[in-house]
Amino acid sequence: MYNKVLKNKMKITNKVFILLVFIILSCSKEKPVPPLAKDITVSINIKDKEKNVNIEPIIVIDFSDKVYDLQGKEVEESKIKEFISIKEDSADGTPLSFNAKWSNANKRITIKLNNLKYNSDYSIKVDGDKLKGKKGEKVDSKDISFSTAKTPA
């Protein structure tokens, strides 16, 4: 009789132990980590090292998704110059003044440049480190250079 009681207690103890292990394991399981969001890409309608660009180009900069400033706020048109620079001669050259407009749900910037010089070099830089996506995605940076036409067409 004593052996029977002892076996029953062991069965209960084993069941409680198994139940506790199950509870501990199910509570300690790490939640699956969602895949990291892809970087937001940047494209510019003028190709890097393009030659014979019109002296009054319309520059279009497209982002693969809407971008925000580092505080997560929408970027106002007046702040575009904080992350886009256009310079004469090279990336270290003389900065050009320009106006920029958002479109396409703040995924496209259009810049109309006037009176560039013939037969001159220019650079455009988009500094992605000053921007982020809605969920904190990294924004790619983009640097290109181009040359204007040698003479009027």
Side-chain angles (χ1 to χ4, degrees), residues 40-55:
I40 294 175
T41 59
V42 180
S43 63
I44 301 175
N45 66 324
I46 296 176
K47 305 291 181 240
D48 189 28
K49 301 195 182 358
E50 188 169 337
K51 299 199 180 302
N52 295 318
V53 173
N54 185 313
I55 62 166

Side-chain angles (χ1 to χ4, degrees), residues 3 30-31 36 53 66 75 78 96 99 101 121 125 137 139 151:
N3 282 343
E30 291 183 26
K31 304 253 187 282
L36 293 175
V53 173
K66 188 172 182 177
V75 179
S78 63
L96 299 180
N99 291 318
K101 297 274 185 209
D121 296 325
K125 179 178 182 174
E137 304 93 333
V139 177
T151 58

Side-chain angles (χ1 to χ4, degrees), residues 85-100:
S85 62
I86 303 174
K87 296 185 178 181
E88 185 177 357
D89 293 326
S90 69
D92 298 322
T94 306
L96 299 180
S97 177
F98 64 89
N99 291 318

Side-chain angles (χ1 to χ4, degrees), residues 8 22 36 63 79 82 89 115 126:
N8 284 341
F22 175 76
L36 293 175
F63 297 91
K79 305 282 186 183
E82 293 179 10
D89 293 326
N115 300 320
V126 179

Side-chain angles (χ1 to χ4, degrees), residues 75-129:
V75 179
E76 299 172 21
E77 284 183 351
S78 63
K79 305 282 186 183
I80 290 173
K81 292 178 186 177
E82 293 179 10
F83 62 90
I84 294 179
S85 62
I86 303 174
K87 296 185 178 181
E88 185 177 357
D89 293 326
S90 69
D92 298 322
T94 306
L96 299 180
S97 177
F98 64 89
N99 291 318
K101 297 274 185 209
W102 279 113
S103 63
N104 194 23
N106 282 24
K107 294 192 289 185
R108 172 174 282 177
I109 295 172
T110 304
I111 300 169
K112 173 88 169 89
L113 291 176
N114 294 311
N115 300 320
L116 297 183
K117 297 176 188 171
Y118 284 105
N119 199 29
S120 296
D121 296 325
Y122 296 90
S123 70
I124 302 171
K125 179 178 182 174
V126 179
D127 188 353
D129 292 337

